[in-house]
Amino acid sequence: MKNRYSYSPMNKISRSGLIETVYIMGLSLFGRVRSFFSILGLRMRGYDIHTSVMIGMQALFFQSQQHSIRVLEGTAIGNGVRLKAGFAGEIHIGRNVLIEDFTSIYAHKTLTIGDNTMISTGCFITDFDHNYPHSKFKHLLLSEDGYTAKTTTIGKNVWIGTNCCILKGVAIGDDAVIGAGSVVTKSVPAGHVAVGVPAHTLGKP
């Protein structure tokens, strides 16, 4: 009697693998076409987005002034990512950067991300915070006077783990690693690892 669980090219596992491969290839092609037309729309609105950039579904871009958001070639922006440059803020993203799903990047001054950096899912990166207490500045939250901004810089080849928070004025050096769930309030030297809440530097890996 033939063993019904024996391997054959058409068994369930093989068929599932084939279906998934075809699905992923189709999804990738659809994503590339949809991303291209999204970029055309953004460029018409004054965004400096290279045509090779991949943009995921439901990604949101906002800039108060034209050419405030710049994304260079080869970068991939995941589903649900938020890039917002308010007032005179600018966001500059380098080449071959990976920004995973549902990450938010907000700027009111200057926020820079270097080439080949990887930012994992659900991160929050900003160059500003609100003035405190709210009650005093409530009527100013729609003006620059309601915020304090300081340039945030992320270098090249940086790896930022999932659910990290990087606050205003932080400079992360090239080749640094930020552990998952970290809240970065102070600068991290190049090539060092930082983890924790608030993040502290452990040294080089």
Side-chain angles (χ1 to χ4, degrees), residues 133-153:
H134 297 122
S135 56
K136 183 177 179 181
F137 295 98
K138 187 174 182 180
H139 64 291
L140 297 175
L141 293 182
L142 295 178
S143 75
E144 291 186 79
D145 294 329
Y147 303 90
T148 300
K150 190 175 181 181
T151 297
T152 296
T153 304

Side-chain angles (χ1 to χ4, degrees), residues 138-186:
K138 187 174 182 180
H139 64 291
L140 297 175
L141 293 182
L142 295 178
S143 75
E144 291 186 79
D145 294 329
Y147 303 90
T148 300
K150 190 175 181 181
T151 297
T152 296
T153 304
I154 298 172
K156 299 178 180 179
N157 307 306
V158 174
W159 180 9
I160 299 174
T162 190
N163 293 327
C164 286
C165 183
I166 298 173
L167 301 181
K168 77 175 194 299
V170 166
I172 298 176
D174 297 347
D175 304 302
V177 177
I178 309 300
S182 297
V183 177
V184 186
T185 61
K186 296 181 179 179

Side-chain angles (χ1 to χ4, degrees), residues 15-29:
R15 287 198 303 272
S16 296
L18 178 62
I19 290 169
E20 288 300 305
T21 299
V22 172
Y23 173 78
I24 290 170
M25 290 177 64
L27 195 64
S28 177
L29 178 60

Side-chain angles (χ1 to χ4, degrees), residues 67-185:
H67 310 295
S68 294
I69 294 181
R70 182 181 67 192
V71 185
L72 300 185
E73 59 265 31
T75 287
I77 295 172
N79 298 325
V81 168
R82 301 289 188 260
L83 299 180
K84 296 184 180 182
F87 303 116
E90 296 183 350
I91 297 173
H92 299 159
I93 299 174
R95 296 172 176 84
N96 303 313
V97 173
L98 174 62
I99 302 174
E100 287 281 12
D101 300 347
F102 306 111
T103 284
S104 296
I105 300 173
Y106 296 166
H108 283 178
K109 189 175 178 67
T110 305
L111 195 154
T112 303
I113 299 173
D115 299 345
N116 305 309
T117 284
M118 296 187 297
I119 301 172
S120 195
T121 306
C123 293
F124 178 76
I125 304 171
T126 188
D127 70 356
F128 71 91
D129 57 22
H130 295 85
N131 286 324
Y132 185 81
H134 297 122
S135 56
K136 183 177 179 181
F137 295 98
K138 187 174 182 180
H139 64 291
L140 297 175
L141 293 182
L142 295 178
S143 75
E144 291 186 79
D145 294 329
Y147 303 90
T148 300
K150 190 175 181 181
T151 297
T152 296
T153 304
I154 298 172
K156 299 178 180 179
N157 307 306
V158 174
W159 180 9
I160 299 174
T162 190
N163 293 327
C164 286
C165 183
I166 298 173
L167 301 181
K168 77 175 194 299
V170 166
I172 298 176
D174 297 347
D175 304 302
V177 177
I178 309 300
S182 297
V183 177
V184 186
T185 61

